[in-house]
Amino acid sequence: MASPSLAAAAAAASPLTSLDPSPSASRPAAAAAAALRKRPVLLLEQRPHPATPPLDSSSGPSRLPAAAGAGVAQPLRRKKGHTSSSRPRWQTALSVAAKNAVLLAVLLYVGDLAWRWAHPSPPQPVDRAALADYDARVADVEASLSRAFRMLQVQIEAVDRKIDGQVGTARVELAALLEEKRLELEGHLKRLDARTDELDDALAGLKRMEFLRKDEFEKFWNEVKETLGSGSGTEVDLDQIRALAREIAMREIEKHAADGIGRVDYAVASAGGKVVRHSEAYDSGKRGGFLSTILGGDSANPQQKMLQPSFGEPGQCFPLQGSSGFVEIKLRKGIIPDAITLEHVSKDVAYDMSTAPKDCRVSGWYQGTPNEAHSGHAASAKMPVLTEFTYDLDKKNIQTFDVTAPDVGIINMVRLDFTSNHGSSALTCIYRIRVHGHEPVSPGITISQS
């Protein structure tokens, strides 16, 4: 037990009791110490009470026993292990009560939540009027949206129709413009084709014209000087040139008077040329009139009509049936061909130029034996093409066409095929066919076999 120490502490804590020498003051202290021995007392911190006046040394001894009694009584009210507090007890009690109330409120709230969780409240009754009003508002919104959609659709359809109309108008205008441009372009192309044909004709005419090159002209001029008897260093008199020109003109006139073109004809009938075969002749008995009178009876001999001079008389020809046909001619002897001449009546005296042949092709080969020429098999033999040409009515009536095939050998047979004429569907007139060339100078020259 700690009672002796407590008594000593109490004696030390109250020094006033030791100052009191009276025996009456020592007896209460001894009684208090005895009481402390009997039970434990919790000593608290001694603090002077605010209402207790300070110790006055001037006071009499009568105050000491009260102070001593108070100093002994205070330790009796203290508890062991605690210090003194300045808060009153009612505040402590109030704080504890408030904490208990808060804890009780929390427990009640948790219990209420648990009870509501275990016992949910029944659903509230539906407000029919509010629901009907909500449905009515939704229906109004849907109707408004439907009207707006229909108006938008009508506007879109109107815009589509307008666009289609504008596109259709633009398409029609574009088609009309394209058609106009096409027709204009076709007109330009036709004019260009016509100009091209004219240019081709002009070029063909230039090709047929014999221009002298510079060296040829110099050679010709030297020949002229030699003919006139002038030296290379002397000048030529103009009268001498005129005389030479007159002589050349007279020589050409003599050639023309001889056969018109001044070239040897190896197909002329008077020298041995003859017509071997030809396409169907036009029936002169059905014609009547002028040609019937001239070509009637035995006088219509193709050798006499196609291989003899016609002297430019209309009707002196051999007519063939239709607008196409052929003529095969045996030459007087084998030659190397140079050109073919086709003659028709001059348009200045002709009655009808539609019977003149137009597109022609000339073939040639060498016929070995006379019997094969009359056997009828010459048409099926191989016949190399010598030249192809078109007889033009706008040019002279006697037209000569050069042989264009390269490396042509010796031939003695010629075939003229015409595939069209200048308009007549009944007949085609052949006035005269001439074959020009030269005889081979050596027997080693190859012969074009059939």
Side-chain angles (χ1 to χ4, degrees):
M1 299 296 291
S3 55
S5 60
L6 291 176
S14 55
L16 295 178
T17 56
S18 62
L19 297 177
D20 192 5
S22 62
S24 59
S26 61
R27 284 193 295 268
L36 290 174
R37 292 189 192 101
K38 292 180 181 180
R39 58 180 179 180
V41 178
L42 179 62
L43 297 179
L44 299 175
E45 184 181 359
Q46 292 183 1
R47 291 184 180 179
H49 197 275
T52 305
L55 182 60
D56 189 4
S57 59
S58 62
S59 60
S62 60
R63 295 178 180 266
L64 293 175
V72 176
Q74 285 179 359
L76 294 177
R77 290 192 299 267
R78 293 172 183 161
K79 293 183 181 179
K80 186 179 181 180
H82 293 275
T83 61
S84 62
S85 177
S86 62
R87 188 172 57 178
R89 291 183 178 180
W90 65 271
Q91 290 183 359
T92 303
L94 183 59
S95 176
V96 172
K99 291 179 180 180
N100 293 334
V102 171
L103 180 60
L104 180 60
V106 171
L107 292 176
L108 291 176
Y109 179 72
V110 173
D112 183 64
L113 287 180
W115 187 83
R116 288 183 180 181
W117 181 263
H119 302 81
S121 61
Q124 296 181 358
V126 179
D127 191 355
R128 300 293 181 180
L131 184 59
D133 184 56
Y134 177 76
D135 292 340
R137 291 183 180 180
V138 172
D140 292 340
V141 172
E142 291 180 352
S144 178
L145 291 176
S146 178
R147 289 193 300 272
F149 179 74
R150 286 197 297 270
M151 292 176 62
L152 182 61
Q153 187 175 5
V154 170
Q155 292 178 0
I156 291 175
E157 291 178 355
V159 172
D160 289 340
R161 287 194 296 270
K162 185 176 180 180
I163 292 175
D164 291 339
Q166 293 179 354
V167 170
T169 303
R171 186 182 293 109
V172 171
E173 293 177 356
L174 182 60
L177 181 61
L178 291 176
E179 182 66 20
E180 181 181 358
K181 294 296 183 182
R182 186 185 65 81
L183 295 177
E184 183 179 358
L185 182 60
E186 287 183 355
H188 287 304
L189 290 176
K190 289 180 180 179
R191 288 193 293 271
L192 183 61
D193 291 339
R195 295 289 299 275
T196 304
D197 294 338
E198 294 177 0
L199 183 60
D200 292 339
D201 294 339
L203 290 176
L206 290 176
K207 289 180 180 180
R208 288 192 296 269
M209 295 177 65
E210 296 180 357
F211 291 98
L212 292 178
R213 297 191 304 271
K214 182 179 180 180
D215 55 347
E216 294 177 350
F217 178 77
E218 291 178 353
K219 181 179 179 181
F220 169 75
W221 186 245
N222 292 330
E223 292 178 355
V224 170
K225 289 182 177 181
E226 292 177 359
T227 304
L228 296 176
S230 301
S232 59
T234 60
E235 295 183 356
V236 179
D237 188 24
L238 183 59
D239 294 335
Q240 295 177 347
I241 295 177
R242 289 176 179 173
L244 179 61
R246 189 180 300 107
E247 182 181 355
I248 294 174
M250 292 301 295
R251 194 182 306 126
E252 293 296 326
I253 291 174
E254 290 178 359
K255 288 183 179 180
H256 181 75
D259 201 9
I261 58 176
R263 301 183 70 169
V264 179
D265 180 16
Y266 288 92
V268 65
S270 60
K274 58 183 177 180
V275 175
V276 178
R277 288 195 325 136
H278 58 79
S279 59
E280 183 179 359
Y282 186 72
D283 190 359
S284 60
K286 297 180 181 179
R287 290 179 294 167
F290 181 74
L291 291 177
S292 176
T293 303
I294 296 177
L295 301 178
D298 296 335
S299 61
N301 186 356
Q303 296 181 12
Q304 296 178 358
K305 298 298 180 182
M306 289 188 289
L307 303 181
Q308 292 290 348
S310 61
F311 301 104
E313 297 180 7
Q316 295 297 325
C317 67
F318 186 79
L320 298 176
Q321 183 74 32
S323 59
S324 62
F326 70 93
V327 175
E328 289 184 3
I329 302 172
K330 183 176 177 59
L331 305 180
R332 65 179 299 273
K333 65 183 304 184
I335 63 170
I336 299 176
D338 294 332
I340 305 294
T341 298
L342 181 62
E343 182 179 348
H344 197 75
V345 67
S346 176
K347 60 183 178 181
D348 297 331
V349 297
Y351 298 104
D352 184 10
M353 294 296 292
S354 64
T355 60
K358 185 177 182 181
D359 297 322
C360 303
R361 181 179 67 251
V362 178
S363 306
W365 70 97
Y366 187 84
Q367 185 70 47
T369 60
N371 295 329
E372 293 177 357
H374 298 280
S375 62
H377 298 290
S380 61
K382 181 179 179 181
M383 297 176 290
V385 177
L386 301 179
T387 183
E388 294 181 353
F389 59 89
T390 299
Y391 186 83
D392 192 353
L393 296 181
D394 294 332
K395 299 178 181 179
K396 297 186 300 182
N397 62 318
I398 301 176
Q399 299 180 18
T400 301
F401 305 95
D402 295 331
V403 173
T404 58
D407 301 330
V408 179
I410 298 176
I411 65 171
N412 62 356
M413 298 291 295
V414 173
R415 176 186 173 104
L416 171 68
D417 290 276
F418 57 93
T419 58
S420 64
N421 58 17
H422 285 274
S424 177
S425 60
L427 73 157
T428 301
C429 291
I430 305 296
Y431 274 78
R432 185 179 179 185
I433 302 174
R434 308 184 200 185
V435 180
H436 312 292
H438 58 276
E439 300 180 8
V441 295
S442 175
I445 295 177
T446 60
I447 298 175
S448 176
Q449 298 294 337
S450 61

